[in-house]
Amino acid sequence: MTSASFLNRPAWALASLLVLAGCASGPAQNISLIPAGQVASQTEKAGLFTQPVKYERTRPGCKGDCPKLVVDSVVFPGHAKLSALVDHALATMTGIGEARTPPYTTIAEFEDYFWKTAAPRDEVILSAKTRYRSQGLTVVELITGQYFTGAAHGITATQFLNWDNQTEKVLGLANVLRPGQYDAYVAALQAAHTQWLGTQPDYKNDPDGYLRLWPFQPTDNFALTDMGLVAKYGSYELAPYSSGLPELLVPYAQLQGILRSEYLPAAAGS
């Protein structure tokens, strides 16, 4: 494997999440999936139960400098479809370039592939955690980190899964926006980006130069949370590597008339 083949998150890796889970059309009843006035620590008590899956392994039989695989994920007992989706998504987010689909669909299959192809000091970290939980909604944050022998730094990818507990399907951006409101969503996201820029020292030192290198761009990688809609970007998508994985928060107050009512807090969406 080479670092160059992993520089971009393959489009098929993200599209496969929706293919596997199906397309959701929203709740059967017009009931908010985000209870008003409750933070994530309160709503998660009524959400899906989770169990951690954690392990660290090196290539079997290897001594000295050995490739390493670290998994820090979750499963959802009683919800096999979501557990399988998380496993599948983390595996395929490793990517092998955009020319073909990977020869694996699960973490176990990826591990077999990795041991056969990894260089001595290669390391892969697969991480999944719940970002938000309520009775009707489970939001899982996926992050993969890949560190290749001889590379200056690692390559990361990130993806949210917004899971409707009732329909057991992933919610895409088209599912949560009102018809014809994509441009309004982008405008709200750009306003959040403008606020975020004010927290970046490099932007403050050279605003024009920063925006030439790192202009705003919209993303469909979003999470519904207790605070608002969070949009998250991968390395180099919105900022230099040193900025990590940038997040933009769009408060629900800025999404009135943009999000469907069931994806706004109960009081706000009425």
Side-chain angles (χ1 to χ4, degrees):
M1 291 187 296
T2 64
S3 60
S5 65
F6 289 84
L7 286 178
N8 296 308
R9 180 175 54 197
W12 54 259
L14 304 186
S16 67
L17 306 185
L18 293 177
V19 172
L20 182 65
C23 297
S25 59
Q29 297 178 343
N30 188 19
I31 300 175
S32 176
L33 298 186
I34 304 169
Q38 291 186 320
V39 298
S41 60
Q42 294 172 307
T43 61
E44 70 180 11
K45 297 175 183 178
L48 301 187
F49 179 67
T50 66
Q51 287 183 335
V53 177
K54 293 186 179 182
Y55 55 87
E56 182 177 315
R57 297 171 181 164
T58 56
R59 181 155 53 199
C62 180
K63 296 181 180 180
D65 291 331
C66 300
K68 181 190 298 184
L69 173 65
V70 179
V71 174
D72 185 0
S73 186
V74 292
V75 293
F76 299 84
H79 299 274
K81 189 175 180 181
L82 179 54
S83 296
L85 177 60
V86 170
D87 182 90
H88 169 78
L90 283 175
T92 56
M93 282 171 63
T94 56
I96 57 169
E98 298 188 16
R100 63 190 190 277
T101 57
Y104 47 80
T105 60
T106 66
I107 292 177
E109 292 174 355
F110 167 74
E111 182 175 352
D112 290 341
Y113 175 86
F114 182 60
W115 298 146
K116 295 174 183 177
T117 58
R121 296 183 181 179
D122 287 0
E123 180 176 350
V124 173
I125 300 174
L126 307 178
S127 173
K129 65 179 181 180
T130 54
R131 185 66 179 261
Y132 177 76
R133 280 185 286 165
S134 67
Q135 186 173 9
L137 183 67
T138 302
V139 180
V140 185
E141 181 177 1
L142 311 173
I143 296 177
T144 61
Q146 299 178 95
Y147 306 87
F148 299 100
T149 303
H153 50 68
I155 300 299
T156 57
T158 180
Q159 181 69 22
F160 285 122
L161 297 177
N162 296 270
W163 181 259
D164 187 312
N165 296 339
Q166 180 182 359
T167 62
E168 294 193 313
K169 293 176 182 176
V170 172
L171 297 169
L173 191 61
N175 301 123
V176 304
L177 294 181
R178 291 179 180 271
Q181 291 301 308
Y182 178 76
D183 289 347
Y185 159 76
V186 172
L189 192 59
Q190 188 160 16
H193 175 251
T194 299
Q195 288 190 319
W196 176 82
L197 286 173
T199 68
Q200 303 303 301
D202 289 345
Y203 170 79
K204 293 179 180 179
N205 291 335
D206 182 10
D208 292 338
Y210 190 94
L211 289 177
R212 279 196 300 270
L213 290 173
W214 312 109
F216 167 76
Q217 57 179 310
T219 180
D220 60 359
N221 185 33
F222 73 97
L224 299 170
T225 74
D226 54 337
M227 301 297 294
L229 183 147
V230 173
K232 191 158 189 168
Y233 293 80
S235 299
Y236 301 113
E237 290 185 327
L238 201 66
Y241 183 83
S242 58
S243 296
L245 305 176
E247 291 188 356
L248 304 180
L249 173 64
V250 185
Y252 286 119
Q254 306 302 316
L255 293 167
Q256 297 293 318
I258 299 175
L259 289 185
R260 297 178 186 270
S261 60
E262 56 265 38
Y263 304 115
L264 292 167
S270 58

